[in-house]
Amino acid sequence: MLAEGDDIIHFQYIKKDNREKGPVFVGIEVKRSHDVEAIKACMGAEGFDFEYLNGQPDFLALLV
């Protein structure tokens, strides 16, 4: 769940063999850094497997 003022700034869906499921790259801009933990908790509670990429040196390479 995004808080007021938060925004999805990048969305990339990679469909290979399955129309129902596939890897997604999502960039989210938050107003308060502590909101990131709430988003991660919500995604986990909904059963989404995810990898948090901030702070990883190669994450910008995924945007190219």
Side-chain angles (χ1 to χ4, degrees):
M1 171 184 347
L2 298 179
E4 185 176 337
D6 295 348
D7 199 8
I8 295 173
I9 58 171
H10 184 87
F11 182 88
Q12 182 179 356
Y13 172 65
I14 303 161
K15 182 180 83 170
K16 291 187 179 188
D17 298 325
N18 190 336
R19 292 178 175 262
E20 305 285 323
K21 297 179 181 178
V24 176
F25 183 83
V26 180
I28 301 173
E29 179 179 59
V30 296
K31 293 278 187 189
R32 298 173 303 273
S33 60
H34 67 273
D35 289 341
V36 172
E37 293 306 316
I39 293 168
K40 289 168 35 178
C42 185
M43 290 178 66
E46 291 294 326
F48 289 99
D49 292 327
F50 65 91
E51 183 176 349
Y52 183 69
L53 297 177
N54 272 23
Q56 294 190 18
D58 296 331
F59 114 93
L60 286 176
L62 296 172
L63 296 174
V64 177

